[in-house]
Each structure stands twice: as structure tokens, then as C-alpha cells.
Amino acid sequence: MEQWKNRLAIVTGASSGIGAAIAKDLAKAGMITIGLARRVERVEALKKDLPANVQGNLHAVKCDVSKEEEIIRVFSEIDAKFNGIDVLINNAAVLREGALITKDNSTSVREVLDTNVLGVVFCTREAYKSMEKHGRNSHVVHINSIVGHNIINDPKMASTNIYTAGKFALTAIMEIHRQEFIRSKHHIKVTSVSPGVVKTEMVPEDFAEKYGNFSFLEPEDVSHSILHVLGTPPHVQIHELTIKPFGETF
């Protein structure tokens, strides 16, 4: 991670779970870290978990990544204030229940796609503007999911269908970004990280018991893998990294 010291990272959805763990680990690794969240006060509170000498590395910025106009404004302000964006971690996501053929599910479907898919597209687009302008080696990481590669055929999980569809879209978007970055002639890596079940606010506490009585991944497990991905030498690009808790049954 030495190559990233004093460089700037943006982490979306940094108020809890995987995003919070990543924001703290990047700050501890010496990166100037911007934690984006709607609940910005929770990102501010993360500083107390950091050593005193790196607390100043973490900055909380309010941003709802389901709103394109907010993304444009916030990324422009960050680029101007911190002299460029070097790393983007697209972590923000929501889960809404409801089958695709259910009546009156328009709101929940749009919420998921606006955050989990369009939020990634627009955040990456705005980060790329900065990366292109400053011309430094950069890296984009999309937090995907195992359900972005495999539709789990289990009636108990059918209510999360649009979440699965959004993650499948992210798998395609990641490859499109990889090809576009190559054609741009800028040294910008992109990686998809696909965890299994992680202990976050999004997942019910009894989930693992229902599906095989296995242990959850911890948010820190995913974050440590992000550090590994970012720490690869310039000629190495990890394309897809899948992380499962031991014993996960799907």
C-alpha cells in the first residue's frame, strides 16, 4: 500500500458495514479517505476507532449516490479541494424485498437500481474525469456479490430478486469499465470483489442458520482483501475476487 500513501480515496456507503471497515483501513494505510454517506455523522464517528495520528486522514462528506446531481457536485468539490481522486470504492448498496411480478413494487425496484447500478455508473464516471485530468495511476473497485454471478434458486430468497439483477448488471459494468479504461490509455485498474454473506445491517442475524449454519464473513475480511487488491504492482490487475465464509452452502 506504500504507493497510495497521501493519495486520495473515496468510499461510498461508508457509514456502516463493509464501507466503514474499508474507510478505516484506508485511512490507517495512509490514504486521505473520503467517506461518502447519507448518514454522514456515522462516518464522523468512525474517527474514534482510528489511532490519533491518522484520524485526520478520514473525512466525512454527505452524498446520496442515488442522485446524479449530488454525485456530480460532490465529486467536483472533492477533486478541487484534494487535487484529484486516485481510488474509488463503489460500496454503497441497498436491499429492498419484493418479487419482480408483485404489484406496486416500482419504488423499491427504482431505489435498488438507482443506488446499486446507476450510482456505480455515475460515481465511476465522475471519478474518471478526475483520474483522466490528473493522469496518475488509479484504481476503481466495485463491491459486487456472489449473487452477481449466480442466481440462487431458493424460494426463501426470492424476495431479493431485483438486488440480484442489480449485482448481475454490476458484473457486466465492471468488464465494460475495464475495456473502456484500457482504451482511454490511462493506467486505471478496475476490480470486482464479490463477497458471500457478510455480517452487516443488511443481513438478518438468523440468515446463516436458515441456510446451513455457517459463519458470516466480517466486514474487515472484505476490507483486508481490498487492501490486497490495491497493493498489487502496476502490471497486476485482479479482475474478480470472490470471498466466501467457510461452509457457505450456495
Side-chain angles (χ1 to χ4, degrees):
M1 289 292 293
E2 190 66 28
Q3 61 183 314
W4 298 112
K5 281 196 173 177
N6 300 315
R7 304 275 294 277
L8 186 114
I10 294 179
V11 182
T12 70
S15 63
S16 65
I18 296 171
I22 295 170
K24 289 189 291 185
D25 279 347
L26 292 180
K28 285 189 283 189
M31 294 200 74
I32 306 304
T33 305
I34 311 296
L36 300 188
R38 290 174 296 181
R39 302 174 295 183
V40 69
E41 69 285 350
R42 295 184 64 168
V43 181
E44 284 285 359
L46 297 177
K47 292 183 180 181
K48 72 179 188 305
D49 298 329
L50 295 173
N53 64 317
V54 298
Q55 288 182 2
N57 287 350
L58 180 59
H59 303 264
V61 175
K62 187 175 179 63
C63 183
D64 182 347
V65 300
S66 71
K67 302 184 186 306
E68 183 182 3
E69 65 279 7
E70 279 197 36
I71 294 171
I72 294 170
R73 175 182 56 79
V74 167
F75 276 64
S76 177
E77 290 172 355
I78 291 170
D79 174 68
K81 183 175 180 180
F82 294 93
N83 191 35
I85 299 164
D86 300 296
V87 169
L88 170 65
I89 312 293
N90 281 308
N91 166 74
V94 296
L95 186 149
R96 300 287 184 265
E97 294 192 347
L100 299 185
I101 58 174
T102 302
K103 282 186 177 182
D104 301 324
N105 66 349
S106 299
T107 299
S108 57
V109 166
R110 286 194 175 94
E111 285 177 349
V112 171
L113 295 181
D114 283 346
T115 299
N116 300 13
V117 180
L118 294 181
V120 169
V121 171
F122 297 143
C123 285
T124 304
R125 182 192 68 195
E126 296 307 304
Y128 173 74
K129 289 179 183 178
S130 175
M131 294 170 179
E132 178 186 39
K133 179 170 67 175
H134 296 281
R136 302 186 290 260
N137 287 4
S138 304
H139 204 137
V140 176
V141 178
H142 300 323
I143 304 300
N144 199 334
S145 169
I146 60 165
V147 301
H149 305 272
N150 178 41
I151 297 175
I152 300 169
N153 185 18
D154 188 319
K156 296 194 290 282
M157 295 187 68
S159 62
T160 63
N161 281 341
I162 193 60
Y163 179 84
T164 297
K167 290 300 186 181
F168 257 80
L170 191 54
T171 299
I173 287 166
M174 192 280 297
E175 174 58 20
I176 292 167
H177 278 148
R178 189 183 72 85
Q179 294 176 14
E180 289 186 349
F181 290 154
I182 291 171
R183 290 194 294 270
S184 78
K185 305 301 183 183
H186 293 283
H187 195 281
I188 304 173
K189 298 181 185 180
V190 61
T191 301
S192 168
V193 176
S194 297
V197 182
V198 184
K199 187 184 292 184
T200 67
E201 295 175 356
M202 190 182 294
V203 180
E205 291 185 3
D206 62 348
F207 185 93
E209 294 178 8
K210 289 181 179 179
Y211 293 95
N213 200 30
F214 54 86
S215 299
F216 288 112
L217 291 171
E218 296 291 339
E220 292 75 18
D221 299 324
V222 181
S223 181
H224 294 165
S225 295
I226 301 295
L227 295 184
H228 169 67
V229 166
L230 293 176
T232 53
H235 71 286
V236 175
Q237 175 169 306
I238 295 177
H239 181 77
E240 168 66 42
L241 180 63
T242 302
I243 314 166
K244 283 175 170 278
F246 181 78
E248 189 174 76
T249 54
F250 44 80

